[in-house]
Amino acid sequence: MTPHALTVDAGARDLRTADHLLRTLAAGLALPDDVFGCTHLVHGERPRVAVSLTRPGGPLPPGLAERLARRGYAVVPGLPDAAGRAVLYPGAASLTGTLTVAELLARSAIDAVRVLGAAGPADPRTRLVTRDHVRPQWREGRLELAAVPAAGDTLVPFEVPDPTPCCADH
């Protein structure tokens, strides 16, 4: 179990709802800037998206689990898995517009940018168009952003800000 971590299950059915929950919790509970808020897919009889709050450098705010429980959330210590998708993380708010890979890494807690289909990490000089939606994932203990090539020799995050629902055309 990861120390200084809580899993919050609000029964969210999709990533957008879980992202909104994390941003609402961060604002409403005045979470410190060094807290990581991640989404986790929960499979089984009742598929849903749980969220986790982690503060690797120290404890979460005192009484946080109790305050969340009073709001009606199911709260358990630890993380549901090691592969969370980060929504809240140090530096996330500064990742807007177009940045070089080196700037993105210097401004945030992201450890690496991986270009899907390419061998090795992204070139630090490559420009990345953030679309103001940067959702890295934990992979082998490192926070890694998956990116894909885009127009003008740039990269974009693999995850799009407003995905089209699967069956939108019928």
Side-chain angles (χ1 to χ4, degrees):
M1 180 179 348
T2 302
H4 315 304
L6 293 174
T7 294
V8 179
D9 190 345
R13 299 196 40 119
D14 57 63
L15 292 173
R16 182 180 291 192
T17 302
D19 285 8
H20 179 72
L21 172 62
L22 282 168
R23 288 189 300 272
T24 300
L25 292 176
L29 298 170
L31 295 177
D33 291 339
D34 60 348
V35 167
F36 287 77
C38 296
T39 61
H40 303 265
L41 301 179
V42 178
H43 304 282
E45 287 181 25
R46 192 172 59 93
R48 61 201 182 282
V49 183
V51 300
S52 66
L53 298 170
T54 309
R55 192 173 185 198
L60 287 166
L64 180 59
E66 294 78 14
R67 288 187 289 158
L68 289 166
R70 279 196 302 273
R71 290 179 178 210
Y73 300 119
V75 181
V76 295
L79 298 172
D81 58 50
R85 170 185 160 276
V87 176
L88 307 175
Y89 51 93
S94 70
L95 303 181
T96 60
T98 301
L99 309 167
T100 65
V101 169
E103 289 171 326
L104 178 129
L105 297 174
R107 290 182 185 184
S108 72
I110 298 173
D111 296 305
V113 175
R114 178 175 49 96
V115 181
L116 298 180
D123 183 318
R125 297 168 296 181
T126 303
R127 293 177 302 126
L128 185 131
V129 181
T130 68
R131 301 181 293 206
D132 300 342
H133 187 85
V134 181
R135 300 292 189 266
Q137 289 195 294
W138 288 104
R139 184 178 158 122
E140 298 176 2
R142 293 169 30 105
L143 197 56
E144 186 175 277
L145 177 66
V148 294
D153 293 323
T154 64
L155 297 172
V156 294
F158 176 72
E159 184 177 326
V160 297
D162 296 309
T164 302
C166 170
C167 300
D169 62 340
H170 51 268

